[in-house]
Amino acid sequence: MNAPTGQRAMPDRIPPSSLRPARLTLRPPAFPPGPVSGAWWPRSDDLQAELPALIEAFDRSWGRVSRVAAHRNAWPQAPCELPVAGHTVRAAWFTSGFDPHAIRLFAYGVGRRDLLVVPPGTGTATAGRLMTAAADPALRLTASALLQDAGGSRPARDM
């Protein structure tokens, strides 16, 4: 599975992803970071549409995000620069040595955060379990291991 899976946002009556808050969970700040610092559940595989809400959440609470890194095969489009409110985020794309189910955010002078990317088409219950597990300080699993632990590399839609 290449996270995200190709799901697109729903029809016109739902606001664009950039106008909705990011679906995000993070580990408590008092705990040391694990292989992932939490999880992000984008609504589609369009990084340019999804990233602004994620960056806005981090800019407000953590520090200005200046760069992102991800596996090249995880997103259908791989722009080198992603405009977000007030600045541009530079992107680095890796073809090996990077978890295909994670995204890494960098904030200058603050550090980095690695997040599990919950595939957009994942059912609500499964996504909730994945997001809770990714933010659990007791679990020390990588993004791919979390997805595999949830029942395979392609979580099924919940009915």
Side-chain angles (χ1 to χ4, degrees):
M1 197 254 2
N2 291 328
T5 60
Q7 292 290 335
R8 293 285 175 196
M10 296 304 288
D12 297 330
R13 54 189 195 283
I14 296 176
S17 297
S18 61
L19 300 179
R20 294 180 278 167
R23 298 183 291 188
L24 176 68
T25 59
L26 297 172
R27 284 178 186 258
F31 289 91
V36 293
S37 299
W40 174 44
W41 184 22
R43 291 172 174 85
S44 75
D45 68 351
D46 182 348
L47 188 60
Q48 289 182 299
E50 298 294 334
L51 193 65
L54 178 65
I55 298 302
E56 181 181 333
F58 274 95
D59 281 356
R60 281 193 321 257
S61 65
W62 181 54
R64 188 175 202 164
V65 174
S66 58
R67 293 181 295 141
V68 298
H71 195 280
R72 173 60 197 102
N73 295 332
W75 301 92
Q77 297 177 356
C80 292
E81 294 184 346
L82 296 152
V84 297
H87 66 288
T88 299
V89 175
R90 299 209 31 93
W93 302 101
F94 297 91
T95 56
S96 64
F98 198 96
D99 191 323
H101 306 290
I103 191 166
R104 182 171 290 160
L105 307 174
F106 297 90
Y108 182 74
V110 180
R112 79 174 207 211
R113 294 270 178 105
D114 290 7
L115 301 175
L116 162 68
V117 177
V118 177
T122 303
T124 303
T126 300
R129 285 191 301 273
L130 285 165
M131 293 179 80
T132 299
D136 185 344
L139 291 179
R140 309 278 304 161
L141 299 173
T142 65
S144 287
L146 284 163
L147 281 172
Q148 187 174 19
D149 195 50
S153 60
R154 259 186 201 270
R157 288 179 180 257
D158 299 315
M159 297 295 165

